[in-house]
Structures are given as C-alpha cells and as structure tokens.
C-alpha cells in the first residue's frame, strides 16, 4: 500500500454481525459512504455468533494489542448505550490460580486497565451466592462489564445508514467476482454487487467466503455451551464472573436467572457448510441443540461454587458456535491475492469495535493506527494454514481458553512439524525443544548438564521451560565456542535489476555498498513505525539475502516491489549455524582456504566459501556479542556442515547451545527482538536504533521521522538489584510510585550475574531506581547505559 491515503471507494462488507456493523459505521465516519453490507439472515439479529453472544467483556489480556482493542470496544459500546459497566471478577480457588491473578493484575497495570486483588469476603459481598470457603481471592476490574451486541448493531446500522451506507439482509453470498488479480464484486442469491474492496466479516462462515475468493482463512468453528438457570436470587448488578479453574463464567439475566458458559467440555468442531439456513434452523444457525451430557460435570462444579443452584435447575441451554484460530488471535488484513479482499474474522464481541476501527483506518489511510502484527493474516506460515493444523490447533485453543499458560509454553500437537537438518544430532545431545512458527527450537541441551554450576534458584513460574544448563551454555559461548541452530530465522532472496534501488528505498540504512557488505537496517511503515528489522547481505550486484522476522516481511516487500524485482522465501530450502565464541576463528579457519582473519574477513562482511566439503555463505555477524559467523548452506548439506564443525571443534571444547542462552547473551549486548522490544508503534530513535537510520537518503517512512524531536519514551535497559531476582516480560514498571511503563524482554544475564530487562519508559538517567511488579511484589531495578556488555565491541571485532 502506498503512503497516499486511498480515495473513497465502493466497499462491500459480507456479514452484518457486530464486526460488520461496527466496520460500516467506522468507514462512514471516516467519509466513505459507498458501503453495502450483505447479510444472509434478518437484521439486526442475523443468526451468527453476535446474536447469541453472552456479552462478557474482560479487557485484560497478555497481548497489549488485544487489551487496547477491547478498551475501544468498551468506549464505543458505552457511547451507543450498549454497555453496562458492572465490573468483572475472576476467582481463584487454587494457589496457582491466585498467583496467576497477581500476574494478571500486573498485566492490567501494564496496559492501563484499572483493577485490584480482593479478599474472599469481598468476593462474597459482590456475589452473595458464592461459597467463599474455597476461595483464595479474586481480581476485580470495575470498568469491565456486559455488552449488548444486538442493541449495538441496531444503533450502528442507524448511524451508518444515515451517512449513506446500506444494509441488505436475506442476501446469501454465493461467489466473489475477480478480474486481473483483483476483486470486482460479490454475487448473492439476489443479484450481484460491484465492489472495489470486499471485506469478509462473516464470522465462523469466514472460511466459506474465503474459499470463494481463493483465500485460506485459518479459522475453526467450535460449539461452546451456554445455559440459563431457573429463577433464583441472582445478584442484580453483580460483576460478570469467571471461575477459570473449572472453565466457567457467569452473568445475571433478567428474572433473577443466571447465564453460565462452559469451556470444560471437549472441543465440538462445526463444519459451517453443514449448518442450516436461518429459516431452516430451529432457533438460529449458530445455536445448536444442547447436549446435556457434555454440561453435566460443569453443572456439578457450578453447584459447588454456588450451592443455591441446586434448587434452581437448568431452564434452557444451547451449543453456540464461535470462531477459534490456531493462536487465538483474530485474522485481519488484506489478502495477498486477490487484491482488495480483506478479512476481519475470528473477532469476538470483546474486541469487535476496536478491530473495526483498526480495519477502517487501515483501509482508508493504509495504516491501522495500532500494532496488529499478532493479528495479521500474513503472520501464518504455509504449514500453519492446512485444514488439519487449523482444526487441531483451533481445538486446543478452545481447551486452553481459561488455562494458566506460561509465556514460553508450546503447543503439544502437531509436533514435530518443522525441523532443521540438525534435528537428529540435537536429539542425540538431549535437546529440550520448544516450538515457534512450527519449528522445533532447542532451548538447552542435557548433554551440557555436567558443565552447569550453581545459579540462583528460581521461583516455580520462572523455572518453567528453563534449566540452569542455559547458564553453562552462555558461559561456554563467552569462553570457548558454541554452535547455534539459526535455521528457523526467516531468509529471503531478492534479485533483479531493480533490487538495489528497491531495497535502498524500502529500508532506513544505506545499502548502496559493494557486494560482500552486510547491513543492519529497518523496515518502516508510512508513519515511521518499525515494521521489522533486517540484516541485508549483498551477494552480488543484483542479488541480496535478507534475514527477516516473519512472513509479513515478505508480503510487505512484495506489495511494494516493482516488476524488476523478484522476491523469494528461501528459508525451508536452506539452513544456518551460528558459530560464536572467542574460539570461533580457531574452529572455522582450518576448515576453509579463505582468509577468516579480522583483516581478511571484517565485521558485517559476507563471502561465499567452503567449510570442508560444504559450500556456504558465511556472514560475519553476531547476535550474542562474541566473535563468529553465521554459516548458511542448502538444507541437504546441513547435516554435513554440522558434523564437520562438530568434529573439528572437539579439541576446542565446542558445545551446542540453545535459545535460552542465546536470549540471555543478546540482552546483555542490548540487541533488540522485533515484536517484543519494538513494533510499528515505535520509531527508530526511541527504540535506540537511530544508528541504523540514514536521514540523508529517501526511504519509506522518512517524512514522519525527526531525530531532533525530544523523546517522550525510550526503550530502556534495566538490571535487577537483587542478583537472585528474575522477571520474564510484560510486567509493569513503577517510577516514583506510579506505573510508568512495562517490560518488553527479560532474561538472566549470566555474564553480568543479574537479570537484564528492557522496558518502555519515559527518558530516565542511568542510575535511576525503578520497581518492577512481579506477581504482586515490587522488585527493585536500576536504569543502565547500554550496551551492558563489551560496549567497546572488542570481543566481536577481534
């Protein structure tokens, strides 16, 4: 998309549930009036998930983005008279859940949600029907509450219609018209509608609409049980309630009845093509027959929590269809092809208005106004789009919707899915694998256990998915040499006569260098926000290899590339080993005829050579702050490369090292991780990456940057004062007694002997004391100048 805002165009929105109605209203508010909303059911309750949604809005989420989307939804629904801020209450009936509520209170503070931890007695005051004897306490968020989605739809339809939009119910979409790679219209059972842009906001019918356009929508519809009790003395005006230990939630209904939803039953997948039409359905298409046997265990749990329910009984129930994705986030954005086909799918009422505003701004200005990298369609790898993967992971998301999940906790299935050529050797070394992007990623190796020394003991939460072996691997990297599997990091090839000028225009640093140069640079959006950070190696006059972050980088570059440029993802056909440590040269030099001395092979340089029998592209880079190289070769030769390096390194004490040590070392050196430390919401100067920006050249986003502008916030290095203390990320940071920011990345710095954390904070002088809230406790930390380790760069440039 170009930086010039698109002129108003003819838009057809498919689906008049809460997302489609919100989107039409937001688009018309921005001046786009040629909007047609097509709905197969009757309005305003069309029979999709919106029509039966219970309406509970809890804003706090581990994702800052999702919390902000929910926050705007509350604002919008309040404005529409469709929100009742009764508050939200989450209960703890186990020690683990009580600890997790402390963590959630920290998340709420980080993202600006007001909340407090309360006693069992206070929980009983708010919900008199509770048996408080089994409670540890609760987390109360006073500004959460109940959304009336159908009422909101009515109000939104009125607003959008007054501005020129039209809503047509009883129109079933049967096809998407396309020509020359673009959408041109929508076909229904009652005629065709030309369109410049088509937005699928069809909810759990999204995959059906997607197939009409030739787009895979990674969404799994699943049924979720909801019941209403008979009359009892339900507390009027009580906060919405979650009993997550039993996968239950509660809300009052008129007549003194309770509504109860359960995620405790097994996943109940639904094929949307098997659902009846609105006129054929006994109630509505999204409301399936209640299965009492699935709810029976949950009903016993309800009575244990609220003994008064024993006399109330279940008056009615249904199995309601909702949308789940492989990672639990919505699916948003324009499809790569056909152009003009947009998705706003897998969106629950909680986030509906926030998503609609973001998509409307995205369509009308080219930018969503909020970081959506977790939600973009382009985040999914090809392997994550298969129907089997979507079904299995979607079902697991249902199972885990209320589980206490560690930030490093991987999905259990389907694994292994993607493995590097070194996988067999890693298994032999006792690798402990976690998963990311479908890849098996070693985090440490049990073979290195004899090297482990005493390190500070961790609390149970911080000790999950961690081993003291990581300290030994970090130390070996600092003192000797280690092999790191860097295969999962994305690699792109850019070729063609227009490639030098294209990359120079798209990125912030100067790429007008001779072949053999490697450059760290940034991809910015039109507003100067950091879309990604890249390592660009010029392998020839018209050939570049790029180290990127996600599939979204390839899509972004492809959208902007002229015909004279060819882009190709080469990740799956290649592999990479990072050889790092003070003895890296001693390991690599005897295996090649090329000169790997500092003079012969300088820092941020690349050359194509051989390591033993294996042709490699060697790049002198280091993400851990030590001498070394990244060695790339084709996947078929990867195992030979590993074995060659491993055999040659035995006399040097070479080890294999994992991601846990890697993360520690990179934070000691101050290296950023895109998506954690910075996103499109941050500019290069406040992120501490001004060195990668050349303001004397033209590049996308340059006009929005001002290196002289005083910073209001800064990505700040912290070290914890207590050598035994650890934080993990997303915790609130207090300055002067008030929350001033949040942690982005954190890891124990084994070289420094204390935990290192980075945080977004107002500019603070080195030496300033701050406090990090970790599970309700305040942990003292100090602002530091960076980098914390080897600021003179002597170890890398030796």
């Amino acid at each position: 998309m170009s930086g010039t805002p698109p002129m108003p165009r003819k838009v057809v929105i498919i689906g008049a549930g809460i997302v489609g109605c919100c989107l039409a209203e937001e688009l018309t508010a921005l001046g786009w009036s040629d909007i047609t909303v097509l709905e197969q059911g009757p309005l305003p309750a069309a029979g999709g998930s919106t029509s039966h949604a219970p309406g509970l809005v809890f804003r706090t989420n581990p994702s800052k983005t999702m919390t902000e989307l929910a926050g705007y939804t509350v604002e919008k629904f309040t404005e529409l008279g469709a929100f009742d801020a009764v508050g939200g209450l989450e209960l703890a009936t186990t020690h683990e859940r009580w600890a997790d509520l402390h963590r959630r209170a920290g998340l709420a503070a980080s993202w600006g949600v007001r909340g407090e931890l309360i006693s069992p007695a206070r929980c009983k005051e708010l919900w008199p029907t509770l048996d408080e004897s089994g409670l540890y306490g609760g987390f109360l968020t006073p500004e959460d509450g109940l959304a009336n989605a159908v009422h909101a739809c009515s109000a939104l339809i009125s607003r959008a219609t007054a501005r020129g939009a039209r809503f047509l119910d009883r129109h079933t979409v049967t096809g998407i018209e396309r020509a020359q790679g673009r959408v041109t219209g929508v076909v229904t059972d009652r005629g065709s509608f030309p369109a410049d842009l088509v937005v699928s906001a069809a909810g759990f019918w999204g995959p059906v609409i997607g197939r009409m356009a030739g787009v895979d929508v990674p969404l799994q519809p699943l049924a979720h049980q909801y019941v209403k009790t008979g009359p009892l003395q339900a507390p009027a005006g009580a906060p919405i309630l979650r009993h997550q230990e039993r996968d239950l939630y509660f809300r009052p209904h008129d007549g003194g009845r309770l509504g109860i939803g359960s995620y405790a039953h097994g996943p109940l997948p639904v094929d949307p093509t098997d659902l009846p039409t609105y006129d054929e359905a006994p109630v509505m298409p999204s409301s399936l027959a209640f299965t009492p046997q699935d709810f029976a265990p949950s009903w016993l749990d309800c009575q244990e929590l609220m003994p008064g329910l024993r006399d109330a009984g279940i008056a009615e129930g249904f199995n309601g269809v909702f949308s789940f994705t492989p990672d639990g986030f919505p699916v948003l954005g324009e499809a790569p092809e056909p152009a003009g086909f947009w998705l706003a799918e897998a969106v629950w009422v909680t986030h509906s208005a926030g998503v609609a505003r973001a998509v409307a701004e995205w369509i009308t200005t080219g930018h969503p106004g909020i970081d959506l990298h977790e939600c973009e369609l382009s985040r999914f790898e090809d392997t994550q789009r298969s129907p089997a993967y979507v079904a299995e992971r979607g079902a697991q998301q249902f199972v885990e919707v209320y589980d206490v999940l560690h930030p490093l906790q991987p999905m259990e299935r389907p694994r292994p899915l993607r493995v590097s050529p070194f996988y067999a050797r890693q298994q032999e070394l006792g690798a402990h694998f976690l998963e990311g992007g479908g890849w098996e990623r070693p985090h440490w190796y049990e073979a290195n256990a004899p090297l482990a020394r005493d390190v500070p003991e961790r609390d149970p939460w911080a000790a999950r998915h961690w081993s003291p072996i990581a300290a030994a691997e970090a130390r070996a990297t600092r003192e000797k040499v280690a092999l790191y599997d860097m295969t999962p990091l994305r690699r792109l090839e850019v070729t063609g006569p227009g490639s030098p000028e294209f990359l120079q225009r798209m990125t912030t640093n100067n790429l007008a260098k001779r072949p053999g140069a490697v450059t760290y640079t940034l991809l910015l959006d039109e507003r100067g926000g950091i879309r990604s950070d890249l390592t660009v190696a010029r392998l020839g006059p018209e050939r570049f290899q790029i180290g990127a972050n996600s599939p979204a980088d390839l899509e972004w570059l492809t959208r902007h590339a002229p015909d004279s440029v060819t882009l190709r993802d080469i990740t799956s056909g290649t592999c990479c080993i990072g050889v790092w440590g003070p003895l890296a040269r001693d390991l690599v030099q005897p295996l090649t005829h090329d000169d790997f001395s500092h003079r012969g092979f300088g820092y941020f340089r690349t050359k194509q050579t051989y390591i033993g029998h294996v042709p490699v592209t060697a790049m002198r880079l280091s993400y851990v702050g030590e001498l070394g190289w990244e060695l790339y070769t084709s996947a078929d030769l990867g195992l030979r490369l590993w074995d060659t390096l491993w055999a040659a390194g035995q006399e040097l004490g070479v080890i294999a090292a994992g991601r846990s040590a890697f993360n520690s070392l990179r934070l000691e050196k101050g290296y950023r991780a895109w998506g954690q430390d910075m996103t499109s919401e941050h500019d290069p100067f406040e992120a501490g990456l001004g060195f990668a920006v050349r303001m004397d050249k033209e590049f996308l986003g340059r006009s929005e940057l001002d290196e002289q502008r005083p910073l209001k916030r800064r990505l700040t290095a912290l070290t914890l004062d207590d050598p035994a203390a650890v934080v993990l990320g997303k915790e609130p940071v207090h300055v002067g007694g008030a929350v001033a920011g949040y942690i982005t990345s954190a890891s124990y710095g084994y070289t420094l002997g204390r935990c290192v954390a980075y945080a977004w904070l107002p500019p603070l002088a080195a030496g300033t004391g701050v406090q990090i809230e970790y599970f309700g406790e305040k942990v003292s930390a100090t602002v530091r100048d960076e980098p914390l380790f080897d600021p003179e760069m002597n170890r890398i440039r030796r």
Side-chain angles (χ1 to χ4, degrees):
M1 292 169 230
S2 69
T4 303
M7 294 296 292
R9 303 166 82 180
K10 187 183 297 293
V11 180
V12 172
I13 299 171
I14 301 172
I18 189 59
V19 178
C21 290
C22 281
L23 180 57
E25 195 274 341
E26 293 284 347
L27 285 170
T28 57
L30 292 170
W32 286 35
S33 59
D34 196 350
I35 312 293
T36 299
V37 185
L38 302 174
E39 172 54 55
Q40 63 182 341
L43 293 175
S49 299
T50 297
S51 300
H52 67 69
L56 285 75
V57 176
F58 288 91
R59 289 166 297 160
T60 304
N61 189 290
S63 163
K64 178 174 178 285
T65 293
M66 296 298 283
T67 302
E68 291 178 352
L69 294 173
Y72 180 76
T73 300
V74 168
E75 292 178 23
K76 189 74 173 186
F77 280 38
T78 300
E79 175 193 329
L80 296 170
F83 187 77
D84 188 2
V86 295
L89 178 60
E90 302 179 55
L91 300 177
T93 57
T94 65
H95 177 74
E96 182 187 29
R97 183 67 66 177
W98 184 230
D100 189 60
L101 291 187
H102 283 74
R103 185 175 70 95
R104 287 183 63 77
L107 288 168
S110 290
W111 312 146
V113 175
R114 188 164 65 91
E116 62 175 319
L117 294 161
I118 63 175
S119 68
R122 177 68 174 136
C123 293
K124 175 77 171 177
E125 287 179 22
L126 294 168
W127 269 85
T129 54
L130 289 174
D131 177 3
E132 80 275 24
S133 63
L135 298 183
Y136 282 73
F139 176 49
L140 176 65
T141 45
E143 292 154 4
D144 289 343
L146 285 167
N148 187 328
V150 174
H151 176 79
C153 283
S154 295
L156 293 162
I157 290 170
S158 295
R159 285 188 178 188
T161 301
R163 299 186 191 121
R166 58 175 176 167
F167 290 75
L168 303 177
D169 62 1
R170 303 289 187 175
H171 283 65
T172 300
V173 173
T174 59
I176 306 294
E177 295 180 319
R178 293 173 276 170
Q180 298 179 336
R182 288 198 59 88
V183 295
T184 58
V186 176
V187 181
T188 76
D189 59 348
R190 298 175 65 179
S192 297
F193 297 84
D196 301 311
L197 302 176
V198 174
V199 184
S200 177
F204 56 78
W205 283 288
V208 178
I209 301 300
R211 282 193 290 272
M212 296 179 189
V215 175
D216 292 326
V217 180
L219 179 162
Q220 175 62 52
L222 290 154
H224 156 65
Q225 294 197 297
Y226 191 79
V227 304
K228 291 182 180 178
T229 69
L232 75 162
Q233 295 198 346
I240 54 178
L241 185 70
R242 278 176 171 171
H243 180 24
Q244 291 159 292
E245 208 60 44
R246 292 293 182 266
D247 296 305
L248 293 166
Y249 62 82
F250 303 80
R251 59 153 294 180
H253 280 284
D254 294 339
R257 300 194 298 167
L258 279 186
I260 306 170
S262 172
Y263 293 97
H265 56 84
L268 302 171
V270 174
D271 184 344
T273 62
D274 292 338
L275 293 176
T277 66
Y278 191 95
D279 293 326
E280 295 169 342
V283 181
M284 64 180 81
S286 64
S287 181
L288 307 183
F290 184 59
T291 50
Q293 69 277 11
D294 291 313
F295 195 77
S298 292
W299 183 236
L300 295 177
D301 291 331
C302 293
Q303 296 172 62
E304 182 181 9
L305 182 68
M306 300 182 189
L309 288 175
R310 295 188 179 100
D311 300 325
I314 297 173
E316 58 183 286
F318 65 94
N319 291 4
V321 185
F322 286 87
S323 302
F324 289 81
T325 61
D327 58 7
F329 288 95
V331 180
L332 311 178
E334 186 180 10
E337 191 176 351
F341 184 77
W342 287 73
L343 296 173
E345 299 291 13
V347 182
W348 290 12
V349 171
T350 299
H351 309 104
S352 55
V355 163
R357 179 175 69 167
V359 173
E361 291 187 10
W362 206 350
I363 287 172
T364 59
T365 72
H367 190 281
I370 185 175
D371 168 47
L372 289 181
H373 81 272
E374 296 169 310
C375 306
E376 293 183 24
L377 170 65
S378 57
R379 72 188 183 271
F380 291 108
E381 307 278 353
D382 289 343
T383 53
Q384 296 172 311
R385 297 173 186 255
S386 72
Y389 184 95
V390 172
E392 190 164 7
R393 288 285 175 104
Q396 189 63 22
Q397 287 294 332
F398 178 94
V399 170
E400 295 180 349
V401 71
Y402 279 167
D403 287 0
V404 176
L405 298 177
H406 193 276
L408 292 177
Q409 183 170 323
M411 280 284 188
E412 295 179 359
R413 298 181 303 275
R415 292 180 62 193
L417 186 61
R418 306 179 77 184
V419 299
S420 78
F422 327 126
Y423 184 64
R425 298 293 183 263
Q426 292 165 344
Q427 289 180 303
E428 293 167 3
L429 293 169
H432 180 88
F433 292 99
L434 299 183
E435 184 258 8
W439 288 98
E440 294 297 313
R441 291 183 153 193
H443 273 241
W444 66 84
Y445 295 85
E446 290 296 332
N448 297 323
L451 304 176
R453 300 176 188 169
D454 289 339
V455 295
E457 186 175 345
R458 294 193 172 201
D459 66 87
W461 183 256
R464 292 190 191 182
H465 307 293
W466 172 84
S467 168
I469 295 171
E473 294 176 0
R475 187 175 63 252
T477 307
R478 292 279 188 241
E479 296 176 357
K480 293 183 179 180
V481 62
L483 305 184
Y484 287 81
D485 181 3
M486 305 300 290
T487 301
L489 300 185
R490 183 162 304 279
R491 292 172 292 283
L492 309 177
E493 182 183 71
V494 184
T495 58
S499 56
E501 294 77 14
F502 168 66
L503 291 176
Q504 181 77 331
R505 185 180 76 253
M506 290 297 297
T507 66
T508 60
N509 214 333
N510 179 29
L511 301 186
K513 302 173 183 177
R514 295 178 180 177
V518 182
T519 307
Y520 177 80
T521 187
L522 306 173
L523 277 181
L524 305 185
D525 61 25
E526 294 89 344
R527 299 188 182 186
I530 304 172
R531 276 197 61 93
S532 189
D533 62 341
L534 310 175
T535 302
V536 180
R538 190 166 193 175
L539 304 182
E542 298 176 359
R543 180 178 170 230
F544 297 82
Q545 181 173 311
I546 296 179
N549 284 294
S550 79
D553 295 339
L554 176 60
E555 181 176 329
W556 179 257
L557 291 169
T558 300
R559 284 187 184 275
H560 290 84
D563 293 340
S564 58
V565 173
T566 300
L567 294 107
R568 188 166 66 98
D569 189 326
I570 60 172
T571 308
S572 60
T574 56
C575 59
C576 178
I577 299 174
V579 184
W580 290 313
L583 301 182
R585 184 174 286 116
D586 300 82
L587 172 54
V588 175
Q589 184 62 81
L591 300 174
T592 180
H593 294 294
D594 280 298
D595 183 2
F596 271 58
S597 69
H598 182 60
R599 180 181 293 273
F601 199 154
Y603 190 51
F604 267 82
R605 300 292 300 172
T606 183
K607 63 174 65 176
Q608 293 177 299
T609 183
Y610 289 87
I611 299 295
H613 297 281
V614 180
V616 301
T617 298
M619 298 185 195
R620 190 169 168 197
L621 307 173
S622 176
Y623 205 54
V624 300
E626 294 293 338
L627 170 70
W629 289 265
E630 293 179 358
L631 303 176
Y632 299 87
T633 192
S634 56
D636 59 326
L637 290 168
L639 187 58
R640 182 60 178 263
L641 177 62
W642 179 281
D643 288 345
T644 300
L645 293 166
W646 187 257
Q650 291 307 298
E651 62 182 27
L652 300 174
V654 70
I655 68 160
R659 297 286 300 179
S660 187
F662 178 89
N663 199 44
S664 170
L665 297 169
R666 71 102 179 164
L667 281 171
E668 289 183 330
K669 193 62 182 166
Y671 294 145
R672 278 64 167 145
W674 185 85
Q676 285 181 257
D677 297 316
M678 71 277 192
T679 68
S680 61
E681 293 185 348
H682 309 109
D683 75 41
F685 301 112
E686 58 191 9
L689 297 175
F691 67 89
V693 179
R694 295 293 177 265
M695 294 294 288
D696 58 352
K697 71 161 202 169
E698 290 298 323
F699 56 84
L700 183 63
R702 180 188 179 281
S703 62
E704 298 298 316
L705 297 183
D706 181 359
E707 59 185 329
Q708 305 301 322
R709 181 173 52 210
L711 299 180
K712 295 181 180 180
R713 60 183 177 180
R714 185 166 65 90
L715 188 60
T716 304
L718 306 172
T719 57
L720 275 59
D721 296 348
D722 181 353
V726 175
V727 298
L728 299 181
K730 300 188 178 181
E731 297 88 355
V733 182
H734 297 254
V735 179
V739 175
Y742 60 92
I743 301 297
T744 60
S745 294
S747 180
Y748 199 85
Y750 301 108
T751 314
L752 302 175
R754 62 189 63 243
C755 185
V756 177
Y758 273 77
W760 281 104
L761 292 169
L764 298 172
T768 302
V770 303
Q771 290 187 311
I772 304 170
E773 185 179 333
Y774 182 71
F775 284 88
E777 300 292 329
K778 299 292 178 59
V779 179
S780 295
T782 302
V783 174
R784 300 295 185 191
D785 288 327
E786 56 172 338
L788 302 169
F789 177 77
D790 188 27
E792 297 82 14
M793 300 284 286
N794 292 329
R795 298 177 71 90
I796 289 179
R797 299 176 189 250
R798 63 177 76 187

